[in-house]
Amino acid sequence: MTRYGMAIDLKRCFGCHACEVACKVANNLPADLAYNRVMTVGGDSFDTAAGEFPNCTLSFLPMQCQHCETPACFAVCPTGATQKDEKTGIVTVDGETCIGCGSCIQACPYQGVRTLIGDDPDYYLDVVVGEADAPAHKPSTVEKCTFCKNLVDRGEEPACMQLCPGRARHWGDLDDPESDVRKAIEGREYEFLQEDAGTGPSIYYLR
């Protein structure tokens, strides 16, 4: 059994959004859908420093599904569309059984990581881009980050890992001491988002 997870080094993330773009292209996401967002911390708007001159700070928080050990979304899904792969720990939503009720969105403590697709998804391009086996985007269903399960299943890394120029992301089996993610975590201070929610996130934010 493998327990996949990710460590994101907040000291190395400089908000270039390459991970966000890589994810969007690889998954052929509609215009209003993002599995991965790079949030600006404390600023009044996107990519805007917090504080007052000359005491300003600019930092970023990559945000996506946390692929929890005990997902809050799993317990409330009325159709079983939200699923957790017991072999990998990856949490997904089955578009064939999702009815778009939004229960998972309401239950998730990490607001903004799930999106209800509209009746007529709009795309930036008139052609399909990304991986040939990228997930289909069905109207009136909920979608979120899948840790690029289609890539992982064939031995590759998630798309967001592949283009990070700051090498801020680390991926692998959290139970394998020789994995990149475990080596990145070792000896570092880290935190989880909304740890008091008791969901057991699989994404470590390195400080």
Side-chain angles (χ1 to χ4, degrees):
M1 179 177 174
T2 303
R3 186 167 65 97
Y4 282 118
M6 188 175 290
I8 302 177
D9 192 334
L10 298 179
K11 291 184 177 180
R12 298 187 67 90
C13 176
F14 52 87
C16 70
H17 302 275
C19 56
E20 190 173 342
V21 173
C23 172
K24 198 166 187 72
V25 172
N27 290 289
N28 188 40
L29 297 181
D32 60 348
L33 176 61
Y35 289 170
N36 174 33
R37 293 181 174 89
V38 180
M39 314 298 291
T40 305
V41 178
D44 292 331
S45 59
F46 189 66
D47 284 353
T48 302
E52 296 184 4
F53 182 82
N55 301 311
C56 297
T57 60
L58 183 62
S59 57
F60 303 93
L61 179 69
M63 189 68 172
Q64 63 197 75
C65 175
Q66 303 292 297
H67 294 275
C68 305
E69 291 187 46
T70 310
C73 54
F74 183 83
V76 300
C77 181
T79 65
T82 297
Q83 302 171 357
K84 179 182 177 183
D85 188 341
E86 294 303 322
K87 293 182 179 180
T88 64
I90 295 176
V91 179
T92 58
V93 179
D94 181 5
E96 296 300 319
T97 53
C98 177
I99 58 175
C101 67
S103 296
C104 58
I105 296 175
Q106 296 299 318
C108 179
Y110 313 102
Q111 296 302 313
V113 302
R114 290 169 174 259
T115 303
L116 177 61
I117 300 177
D119 293 336
D120 188 19
D122 184 34
Y123 292 84
Y124 289 120
L125 301 176
D126 294 330
V127 295
V128 176
V129 298
E131 300 293 329
D133 56 353
H137 309 296
K138 298 182 61 176
S140 302
T141 61
V142 173
E143 286 197 22
K144 64 170 199 64
C145 162
T146 66
F147 265 165
C148 285
K149 188 176 185 303
N150 54 321
L151 299 183
V152 172
D153 284 348
R154 58 176 184 258
E156 300 179 35
E157 294 182 331
C160 62
M161 286 286 306
Q162 299 174 23
L163 286 186
C164 179
R167 297 297 184 263
R169 290 175 178 258
H170 305 270
W171 164 259
D173 182 359
L174 292 169
D175 292 332
D176 180 3
E178 297 302 315
S179 68
D180 182 52
V181 67
R182 278 289 300 275
K183 290 179 179 179
I185 295 169
E186 186 175 357
R188 290 289 301 273
E189 292 185 3
Y190 60 82
E191 64 183 25
F192 299 108
L193 297 183
Q194 304 288 346
E195 189 170 6
D196 57 351
T199 57
S202 294
I203 295 184
Y204 292 65
Y205 289 91
L206 307 181
R207 291 293 183 182

